[in-house]
Amino acid sequence: MSFISVNPESDFSIHNLPYGIFSTQANPKPRPGVAIGDYILDLSQVSKLFVGPLMRNEAEEVFNQTTLNKLMSLSYEAWHEARQTIQRLLSKHEGVLRDNSELRSTAFVLQRDATMHLPAQIGDYTDFFSSLEHAINGVKLFVDGDKALFPNWKYSPLGYHGRASSIVVSGSPIRRPNGQMRPIDDRPPVFGPCKLMDFEIEMAFFIGNTPNKNGDIVPIDEAHKHIFGMVLMNDWSARDIQKWEWIPLGPFLSKNLGTTISPWVVTMEALEPFKVVNVVQEPKPFPYLYHADNYNFNVNIAAAIKPDNGEASVVARTNLSHLYWTMKQMLAHHTITGCNLNAGDLMATGTISGPTPDSYGSMLELSWNGTKPLTLSDGSERKFLHDGDEVIFTAHSERDGCRVGFGECRGKLIPALAL
């Protein structure tokens, strides 16, 4: 228990303690903090209290940065020590913060008084394609309803390198893109605003522990030591642009318009109690991708659409555990060629779709490419997103009264530029 009062329904219990970068009106410098209940613990104010052997010479510098990259670059063991220290400082049995009213007045900030920023300077971003259900649905809707899964899909985690510069923090608006599309297959393409704007329910993980030099690999058994933590992610997608452009080189302008992530990075240690059995993989992966230990997680995810001046309607509920490929496999596969990674790089899971229609992770699937419109609570229908719609993702894990959540990942779709 923490001496800070925390609502049992809060995402941010002492079992969680996610990291983020925030600023305030009184102190506009972005700086690291940890969420606890309705508050943020300002780590720059308590850095001198980190006295463990791995953090005592690092904390003052790490917790006075404007991003989490420096913290991410530290060792797996240092992340553990930092978490233990923060839990101790917040414990109801520890008085160093609890009983020091002067320090408490500067160390804690109400979340409602803070502005959240991107948690890291993201150098590179890769988006994977790791949900079997989404892959099958994609073939049916985008290629041919009678075709089977692509033959390479069950042999390796497929992905594409996305645009890091257009990743934005939750709350940032997303503009409907203009582009080329071919609405009628046997006619020439047209240019104009995207008509089939979509979301994709994803999660993403940050790389840390200075993984590997160019030419080296990260072995599968070491991969977990380089996964710092996870965020919620919305991979906004212009489906009509995507369908026209994706052959032969995959997504391009249909995906680079914007990607939204939640501001709080939930550490893998916080998610440890929610591990579940890996999805059975057949055929058995190559040795460089095989791991016998479980690295799958029970994280419930909900997606809602809030029309302009309306109420939010939940349109999908899915779970991270549906993924066929694990994060360890994604990371190991990414480096098998010797591709070097850096602390702060972001890797996304791809759309997380479950086995039932209400657990699909995109409007493309939920509306079955517009043939089965969704009805929102205000009575309006959606085949794809309308201007003014705000898409809101939430996610949490819960077990034995312990709740670990991710906060919100939200973004509002604004009209295309008039060209």
Side-chain angles (χ1 to χ4, degrees):
M1 298 290 291
S2 170
F3 67 83
I4 298 292
S5 178
V6 179
N7 187 310
E9 297 299 312
S10 171
D11 279 352
F12 306 125
S13 68
I14 197 169
H15 304 289
N16 190 352
L17 304 179
Y19 291 99
I21 295 293
F22 77 101
S23 64
T24 58
Q25 190 172 5
N27 181 359
K29 178 187 175 182
R31 55 203 187 273
V34 160
I36 178 71
D38 295 330
Y39 290 86
I40 299 171
L41 173 62
D42 186 341
L43 295 174
S44 71
Q45 296 295 313
V46 297
S47 61
K48 289 182 170 59
L49 301 179
F50 288 75
V51 294
L54 300 176
M55 289 300 297
R56 62 187 172 211
N57 294 323
E58 301 281 359
E60 191 163 1
E61 179 184 2
V62 165
F63 295 138
N64 280 280
Q65 302 287 316
T66 58
T67 68
L68 295 175
N69 293 69
K70 183 68 175 177
L71 175 62
M72 291 175 178
S73 72
L74 300 182
S75 69
Y76 178 76
E77 294 75 17
W79 301 340
H80 173 68
E81 184 183 290
R83 175 177 167 82
Q84 284 191 315
T85 299
I86 295 167
Q87 283 190 318
R88 176 178 57 80
L89 293 175
L90 291 171
S91 168
K92 68 176 184 179
H93 303 296
E94 174 64 55
V96 65
L97 269 178
R98 183 194 64 202
D99 301 335
N100 187 331
S101 58
E102 183 178 355
L103 181 55
R104 282 184 62 175
S105 68
T106 59
F108 289 98
V109 172
L110 281 166
Q111 289 193 38
R112 66 169 180 258
D113 295 334
T115 298
M116 301 305 298
H117 305 272
L118 280 176
Q121 182 177 347
I122 303 168
D124 282 298
Y125 154 55
T126 301
D127 195 6
F128 283 91
F129 187 34
S130 298
S131 163
L132 176 60
E133 288 78 10
H134 179 64
I136 292 171
N137 291 339
V139 170
K140 290 178 180 177
L141 292 168
F142 248 1
V143 183
D144 185 336
D146 296 325
K147 282 188 177 293
L149 192 68
F150 294 122
N152 58 350
W153 198 92
K154 284 193 173 182
Y155 283 90
S156 65
L158 304 179
Y160 72 93
H161 293 274
R163 186 69 185 175
S165 64
S166 55
I167 297 175
V168 296
V169 73
S170 176
S172 304
I174 296 293
R175 186 176 293 281
R176 183 184 295 271
N178 287 288
Q180 292 186 31
M181 60 211 89
R182 190 168 69 166
I184 302 175
D185 288 343
D186 59 355
R187 295 187 183 180
V190 297
F191 177 84
C194 159
K195 300 292 194 301
L196 308 181
M197 194 64 190
D198 201 356
F199 63 74
E200 289 190 348
I201 302 173
E202 304 197 20
M203 297 191 75
F205 57 97
F206 279 101
I207 301 299
N209 192 11
T210 314
N212 62 317
K213 297 178 181 178
N214 194 9
D216 293 337
I217 69 168
V218 175
I220 189 76
D221 292 336
E222 296 290 319
H224 66 285
K225 295 182 179 180
H226 302 285
I227 300 175
F228 177 78
M230 300 194 74
V231 293
L232 269 171
M233 194 181 97
N234 184 351
D235 179 26
W236 301 85
S237 300
R239 295 302 186 189
D240 38 9
I241 297 174
Q242 182 181 3
K243 186 174 182 180
W244 173 238
E245 75 174 3
W246 80 290
I247 296 173
L249 294 179
F252 180 32
L253 301 183
S254 57
K255 299 280 191 175
N256 72 356
L257 58 108
T259 303
T260 305
I261 64 172
S262 54
W264 294 108
V265 185
V266 176
T267 66
M268 302 314 298
E269 191 166 355
L271 292 172
E272 185 72 21
F274 309 105
K275 273 185 176 176
V276 292
V277 176
N278 298 334
V279 172
V280 175
Q281 296 178 332
E282 187 63 40
K284 183 178 179 179
F286 286 108
Y288 81 93
L289 285 173
Y290 178 75
H291 62 95
D293 61 311
N294 291 322
Y295 207 76
N296 197 8
F297 299 87
N298 179 18
V299 180
N300 298 297
I301 312 169
I305 297 175
K306 182 181 181 297
D308 208 9
N309 300 316
E311 295 183 359
S313 301
V314 174
V315 295
R317 297 185 187 275
T318 187
N319 196 288
L320 180 64
S321 64
H322 293 314
L323 291 185
Y324 184 90
W325 295 105
T326 71
M327 290 178 282
K328 287 178 63 170
Q329 291 173 318
M330 295 177 216
L331 198 160
H333 185 63
H334 204 303
T335 69
I336 195 61
T337 56
C339 174
N340 56 310
L341 305 177
N342 295 297
D345 285 356
L346 190 68
M347 294 190 184
T349 60
T351 304
I352 305 169
S353 291
T356 58
D358 60 348
S359 65
Y360 293 162
S362 66
M363 291 293 289
L364 176 72
E365 297 163 273
L366 290 165
S367 74
W368 209 246
N369 202 19
T371 62
K372 300 176 181 180
L374 305 180
T375 302
L376 305 187
S377 58
D378 65 359
S380 63
E381 290 189 340
R382 293 292 186 279
K383 297 178 180 179
F384 289 90
L385 296 174
H386 294 185
D387 289 346
D389 284 349
E390 187 172 27
V391 179
I392 307 164
F393 295 169
T394 54
H396 74 278
S397 299
E398 195 161 8
R399 176 183 173 187
D400 301 328
C402 170
R403 183 183 174 99
V404 169
F406 288 77
E408 290 185 333
C409 174
R410 61 166 64 212
K412 189 171 186 177
L413 184 64
I414 61 177
L417 290 173
L419 299 178

